[in-house]
Amino acid sequence: MAEIIQKDGTWTFDGDALRLTPGRDKNVGLLRRTLGELVVPLRALAGISLEQGKKSGRLKLRLRDGADPLLHATGGRLTEPHDPYQLIVDSDRYGVAEYFTEEVRTALLLDGIPSDPVTEYLLPGPSVPLSVSAGDGTVSFDGERIRLEWNWKTEDAKAAAGTRTLAMADLTGVEWQPAVGLENGHLRFSVRHSPTKAPAKYDPNSVELWGFKKDPLMALVAAAVQARLPHPATPADDRPREPESAPPSPAVPAPAEDDHDALLRRLRELGELHRSGVLTDEEFTLAKQAILKRM
């Protein structure tokens, strides 16, 4: 067995799988700490490398395309503190890191593990139920349904539609995009029969992210959902067929304390967004119906 212990975490290899345990150092990202220990089967690996610097280096695992729903959902956009497949190594431990690297490479060679893409997920994805609050909403996922709840920072036109519940059967995809520079990020759910070009700020199937501490945790929700969607290598003919009936309407919250004038203002805002093309016909209708019921 090969093992390397660092402040950043501990990696152990027993010949069949790698066990990646995050450390307790303050520099370990919130996503890694929340995700916890990962067990990566050898057949999920495409390679391992060691980058050495003067003061510290990095061990990096490269997984086969399609092996991990987390990597597929995040599209390589996880930064270093949150990437579970990187380990910071102190310079005085380079010898141990080199031995660890050779052990894994030798096992890959002896077992004849190819580096080409896989046709099924080899890691299970984050466990459920999950609930994360970040940006303009809270997302809860129990393995079958996604619940989107809005907070006081949500755009009025979007919040007017109320709490949103999406069934896995109605989803065709999920995307997590972190905030970069002046560009906000998002967690977006692609819903069957409901395509949209609306920014996350107005899209009732998206949470807008502003680059705060808890944003990366939304990637865990994306990965948990991705693990339950058809694998990207699944032929189109083998994917679940679209239901003939229309998707269910979102849940409408109980009447709020909004006064009549505020609701009228929201209706005008929705009309402007619809005329400008930000909201689709379906999104506009759903939001308008929610406001009319509250009136």
Side-chain angles (χ1 to χ4, degrees):
M1 185 177 75
E3 183 178 63
I4 179 167
I5 302 174
Q6 294 288 273
K7 291 183 296 183
D8 197 39
T10 299
W11 285 12
T12 306
F13 177 56
D14 62 6
D16 296 318
L18 287 96
R19 191 175 297 273
L20 315 179
T21 307
R24 297 181 179 180
D25 188 71
K26 63 180 181 179
N27 294 323
V28 177
L30 182 59
L31 183 146
R32 284 180 61 199
R33 296 200 303 269
T34 305
L35 185 60
E37 187 174 83
L38 279 179
V39 178
V40 183
L42 184 65
R43 62 194 183 100
L45 287 185
I48 183 173
S49 63
L50 171 62
E51 300 176 354
Q52 298 184 18
K54 290 183 179 180
K55 294 184 178 180
S56 64
R58 289 180 184 81
L59 270 175
K60 290 185 177 182
L61 294 181
R62 182 166 58 89
L63 272 62
R64 298 169 67 185
D65 288 345
D68 182 17
L70 174 63
L71 293 183
H72 184 79
T74 55
R77 294 182 289 267
L78 284 177
T79 55
E80 178 189 305
H82 306 290
D83 187 348
Y85 301 114
Q86 292 190 42
L87 181 72
I88 298 177
V89 180
D90 294 334
S91 58
D92 61 354
R93 303 296 288 172
Y94 284 166
V96 176
E98 288 174 350
Y99 171 75
F100 189 93
T101 300
E102 287 305 314
E103 286 290 295
V104 175
R105 286 176 176 170
T106 300
L108 288 171
L109 182 62
L110 291 177
D111 286 17
I113 306 295
S115 59
D116 55 346
V118 298
T119 57
E120 62 178 351
Y121 291 122
L122 302 180
L123 281 87
S127 59
V128 294
L130 271 172
S131 184
V132 178
S133 297
D136 65 354
T138 296
V139 182
S140 302
F141 180 50
D142 62 5
E144 296 181 359
R145 292 186 176 274
I146 297 157
R147 182 180 175 86
L148 298 168
E149 300 175 87
W150 313 117
N151 57 38
W152 64 273
K153 295 172 284 187
T154 309
E155 185 72 19
D156 283 350
K158 178 176 171 180
T163 298
R164 186 88 159 143
T165 301
L166 305 173
M168 279 299 304
D170 296 326
L171 298 187
T172 59
V174 60
E175 178 189 59
W176 175 79
Q177 174 71 51
V180 179
L182 298 178
E183 294 293 327
N184 290 339
H186 61 257
L187 174 65
R188 187 187 300 274
F189 299 100
S190 299
V191 181
R192 206 183 308 274
H193 302 306
S194 185
T196 180
K197 295 181 180 179
K201 182 177 183 178
Y202 302 108
D203 181 9
N205 297 322
S206 299
V207 174
E208 186 180 33
L209 303 174
W210 300 310
F212 296 152
K213 181 180 179 180
K214 290 187 177 180
D215 282 13
L217 295 183
M218 285 294 185
L220 297 182
V221 178
V225 172
Q226 185 65 56
R228 290 160 176 80
L229 290 170
H231 190 275
T234 302
D237 293 342
D238 294 338
R239 293 173 180 261
R241 293 187 177 182
E242 297 184 0
E244 294 181 0
S245 59
S249 299
V252 178
E257 298 297 327
D258 297 333
D259 59 36
H260 192 266
D261 290 340
L263 293 174
L264 287 176
R265 285 197 300 272
R266 289 186 179 182
L267 278 176
R268 286 195 293 270
E269 291 173 354
L270 286 174
E272 293 172 0
L273 291 170
H274 183 232
R275 285 191 295 273
S276 64
V278 172
L279 294 179
T280 64
D281 292 343
E282 181 190 15
E283 292 164 345
F284 172 71
T285 300
L286 289 172
K288 183 176 70 174
Q289 288 174 349
I291 290 179
L292 291 177
K293 287 182 179 180
R294 294 168 71 177
M295 293 177 69

